[in-house]
């Protein structure tokens, strides 16, 4: 039993389980299969940082570059005490598949540093970020690997990376990262892009099942960049957001939450504790609330073989990367829950990151309407592409998304030829 637990909760194993299944259904060329099973490059760094008390601490950091067949590696950097190489590996490979699902010219990468950013001062975080960047100078760049924010990193982190890289290059290189502040080369609409992409695919699913937006109850786990933005946008669209959770707790109001009020409360108090306009429920109970759309938008391994059978949603829209374990997929499918898988559902972020990279390289910036309408087109087309593959092969939408992505990466790998 403990062995099964470890395997189920290893995100890289979860990714590989789906990859193998999709590869088999595609009858993937065995040589291409062998290549795509492995990341292209994994970098481990030991990063010395001077702490505010004058002592040094050495942090462990990673950057995994999973695949370059379709373009530079692309993917966020995460700061968390829970970072592991397997997690970063999984996240990097999901970026490869995600970029291929939405058909943008990037491969996949991801970075992570084992640290507790909530216990570090801004100065310590800046020094950590700059040294991490400097140690990665030979591996990142607009044509090589383009980082972005992820859990516990933000626009400020990206600004430090851009500045450090530019200092080494002796000129300003805005396209080395995405998710920067708008004033220094960021894109309008990037901050909201992942949440907005989630809204667009949820709208498509709701249309597909002839549901009414106003009657659609949405429960969202995570109130950060992804979950908090999705909650706000879905509320404005007319959805009934009935549940919202963050690390501090979970609140529920079956009649619909006052989302702007709750987000303002969270901003002020940094916790949902003490919020009086809704019921407080336990973490496990929260994911099992009766709703039409459940949106895990916090972290991995939230839906497992332990709780999948108790889900009460009709649509599972995966805002986080890897919120459902591979072993739970079959249970979710048996319950006829329509899954909008992570590599499609949360691809709005990397799509607008692609727009940011394009704008930086052109030196010409679009207005927000242009960004949002291009994002809409890509999200809707990708949703329809995944549904079409699911119908063609008679598979669930998760497998369909993997099949679509692997087929595209395999084709490009084959046409480039293998330099061996
Ligand atoms: P964030 O740091 O802005 O927010 C994370 C949120 O999740 C916070 O509200 C935190 O309190 C909450 N949280 C963390 N652990 C929790 C738990 N166990 N239970 C309940 N809430 C918990 O991070 P983010 O950028 O919103 O990223 C969230 C997820 O979305 C991650 O899986 C990330 O990889 C993925 N993602 C992010 C983006 C992006 O553009 N930021 C794009 C695609 C995917």
């Amino acid at each position: 039993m403990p062995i099964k637990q470890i395997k189920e909760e290893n995100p890289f194993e979860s990714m590989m389980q789906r990859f193998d299944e999709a590869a088999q259904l595609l009858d993937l060329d065995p040589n291409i299969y062998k290549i795509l099973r492995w990341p292209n490059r994994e970098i481990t760094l030991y990063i010395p940082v001077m702490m505010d008390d004058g002592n040094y601490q050495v942090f462990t950091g990673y950057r995994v570059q999973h695949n370059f067949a379709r373009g530079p590696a692309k993917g966020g950097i995460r700061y968390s005490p829970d970072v592991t190489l397997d997690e970063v590996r999984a996240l990097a490979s999901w970026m490869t598949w995600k970029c291929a699902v939405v058909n943008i010219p990037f491969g996949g990468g991801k970075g992570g540093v084992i640290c507790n950013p909530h216990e570090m001062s801004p100065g310590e975080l800046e020094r950590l970020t700059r040294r991490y960047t400097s140690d990665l100078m030979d591996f990142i760049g607009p044509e090589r690997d383009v980082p972005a924010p992820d859990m516990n990193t933000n626009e400020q982190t990206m600004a430090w990376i851009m500045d450090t890289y530019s200092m080494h290059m002796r000129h300003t290189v805005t396209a080395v990262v995405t998710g920067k502040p708008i004033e220094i080369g960021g894109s309008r609409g990037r901050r909201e892009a992942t949440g907005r992409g989630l809204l667009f695919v949820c709208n498509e699913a709701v249309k597909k099942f002839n549901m009414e937006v106003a009657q659609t109850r949405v429960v969202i786990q995570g109130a950060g960049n992804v979950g908090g933005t999705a909650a706000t946008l879905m509320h404005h669209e007319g959805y009934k957001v009935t549940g919202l959770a963050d690390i501090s707790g979970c609140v529920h109001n079956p009649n619909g939450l006052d989302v702007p009020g709750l987000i303002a409360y969270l901003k002020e108090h940094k916790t949902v504790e003490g919020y009086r306009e809704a019921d407080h429920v336990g973490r496990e109970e929260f994911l099992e609330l009766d709703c039409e759309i459940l949106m895990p938008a916090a972290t991995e391994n939230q839906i497992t073989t332990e709780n999948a059978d108790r889900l009460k949603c009709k649509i599972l829209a995966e805002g986080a990367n890897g919120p459902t374990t591979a072993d739970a997929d079959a249970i979710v499918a048996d319950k006829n829950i329509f899954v909008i898988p992570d590599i499609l559902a949360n691809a709005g972020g990397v799509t607008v990151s692609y727009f940011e990279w394009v704008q930086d390289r052109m030196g010409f910036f679009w207005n927000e309407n242009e960004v949002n309408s291009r994002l809409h087109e890509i999200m809707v087309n990708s949703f329809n592409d995944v549904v079409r593959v699911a119908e063609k092969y008679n598979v669930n939408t998760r497998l369909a998304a993997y099949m679509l992505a692997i087929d595209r990466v395999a084709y490009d790998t084959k046409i480039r030829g293998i330099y061996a």
Side-chain angles (χ1 to χ4, degrees):
M1 194 62 184
I3 290 165
K4 165 109 170 37
Q5 283 277 313
I6 290 163
K7 183 174 179 297
E8 178 172 6
E9 287 174 14
N10 180 323
F12 189 66
E13 296 275 353
S14 254
M15 189 285 296
M16 286 312 301
Q17 226 170 296
R18 279 108 169 212
F19 172 82
D20 282 348
E21 210 176 327
Q24 204 168 11
L25 284 161
L26 284 169
D27 201 13
L28 193 66
D29 174 329
N31 286 314
I32 301 283
Y33 171 81
K34 272 184 238 166
I35 292 166
L36 295 188
R37 279 195 108 240
W38 297 101
N40 188 284
R41 187 186 281 144
E42 298 177 350
I43 304 150
T44 301
L45 305 163
Y46 298 98
I47 312 157
V49 176
M50 189 170 80
M51 307 306 279
D52 288 346
D53 65 5
N55 287 314
Y56 284 82
Q57 250 187 58
V58 180
F59 295 90
T60 305
Y62 305 104
R63 184 76 189 168
V64 174
Q65 297 173 328
H66 179 258
N67 192 280
F68 298 99
R70 294 165 52 84
K74 184 84 194 82
I77 297 172
R78 174 174 291 196
Y79 287 173
S80 160
D82 303 327
V83 164
T84 64
L85 182 54
D86 261 353
E87 180 190 52
V88 181
R89 250 182 213 144
L91 290 161
S93 56
W94 280 322
M95 289 307 297
T96 302
W97 312 134
K98 192 181 301 185
C99 292
V101 165
V102 289
N103 215 357
I104 57 177
F106 285 137
K110 203 83 179 191
V113 178
I114 306 172
C115 64
N116 188 345
H118 304 298
E119 289 176 359
M120 295 170 70
S121 71
E124 289 168 344
L125 284 170
E126 177 173 354
R127 292 191 288 280
L128 170 70
T129 303
R130 287 187 183 276
R131 180 64 193 250
Y132 175 75
T133 307
S134 152
D135 285 353
L136 282 174
M137 274 304 291
D138 294 335
F139 301 101
I140 60 173
E143 311 292 343
R144 293 174 172 177
D145 181 358
V146 185
D150 193 71
M151 281 174 77
N152 298 321
T153 57
N154 54 28
E155 292 179 8
Q156 176 63 76
T157 325
M158 297 306 112
W160 290 329
I161 295 177
M162 193 273 265
D163 184 70
T164 308
Y165 186 84
S166 298
M167 289 296 127
H168 282 270
M169 297 303 285
R170 299 287 188 258
H171 63 102
T172 296
V173 185
T174 53
V176 64
V177 281
T178 59
K180 299 176 291 295
I182 289 175
E183 297 76 7
I184 53 167
S187 177
R188 290 186 172 76
R190 172 60 185 91
R191 196 179 297 160
E192 302 81 14
T194 311
R196 182 163 278 119
L198 276 157
L199 167 70
F200 291 154
V201 290
C202 286
N203 283 347
E204 291 309 298
V206 162
K207 248 190 277 171
K208 180 175 162 57
F209 294 110
N210 296 318
M211 291 154 63
E212 291 288 331
V213 166
Q215 261 84 64
T216 302
R217 293 164 301 169
V218 187
V219 169
I220 303 176
Q221 183 199 44
N225 178 278
V226 180
T229 308
T232 304
L233 294 175
M234 296 205 62
H235 174 78
H236 286 308
E237 187 85 357
Y239 286 92
K240 203 188 268 191
V241 179
T242 53
L244 191 67
D246 81 347
I247 191 81
S248 69
C250 315
V251 296
H252 177 229
N253 183 342
N255 300 316
L257 295 164
D258 162 22
V259 175
L262 176 55
I263 298 282
Y265 183 93
L266 259 173
K267 216 172 195 166
E268 187 185 342
H269 300 272
K270 314 264 178 268
T271 170
V272 295
E273 274 169 37
Y275 185 72
R276 290 172 190 276
E277 317 299 319
D279 301 330
H280 289 250
V281 298
R283 236 165 245 306
E284 285 180 16
E285 195 189 333
F286 182 79
L287 293 172
E288 298 161 17
L289 286 171
D290 200 2
C291 62
E292 278 69 42
I293 300 180
L294 176 65
M295 188 184 289
T299 186
E300 295 103 65
N301 299 331
Q302 298 304 296
I303 297 160
T304 67
T305 50
E306 290 295 307
N307 63 358
D309 196 38
R310 294 193 296 273
L311 298 188
K312 294 192 191 70
C313 57
K314 294 188 173 54
I315 295 167
L316 179 63
E318 296 184 331
N321 288 307
T324 309
T325 64
D327 290 345
D329 278 350
I331 304 171
V332 172
D334 276 352
K335 289 177 70 74
N336 261 331
I337 293 173
F338 181 79
V339 178
I340 314 178
D342 47 6
I343 57 174
L344 165 65
N346 69 35
V350 76
T351 301
V352 177
S353 275
Y354 165 53
F355 299 161
E356 181 173 332
W357 180 77
V358 168
Q359 292 170 79
D360 284 340
R361 284 153 54 104
M362 285 194 298
F364 178 72
F365 291 85
W366 309 342
N367 64 36
E368 192 163 344
N369 280 345
E370 180 155 10
V371 170
N372 291 346
S373 72
R374 284 178 189 269
L375 173 65
H376 183 257
E377 188 183 341
I378 288 184
M379 294 309 293
V380 171
N381 288 346
S382 307
F383 178 92
N384 290 326
D385 285 347
V386 168
V387 169
R388 242 191 318 274
V389 173
E391 286 165 1
K392 178 174 168 192
Y393 289 91
N394 195 22
V395 295
N396 63 47
T397 40
R398 165 137 18 241
L399 263 182
Y402 272 77
M403 288 170 76
L404 179 66
I406 293 168
D407 197 39
R408 284 179 175 157
V409 179
Y411 181 85
D412 294 348
T413 306
K414 208 163 192 168
I415 205 161
R416 282 178 65 151
I418 296 153
Y419 183 31

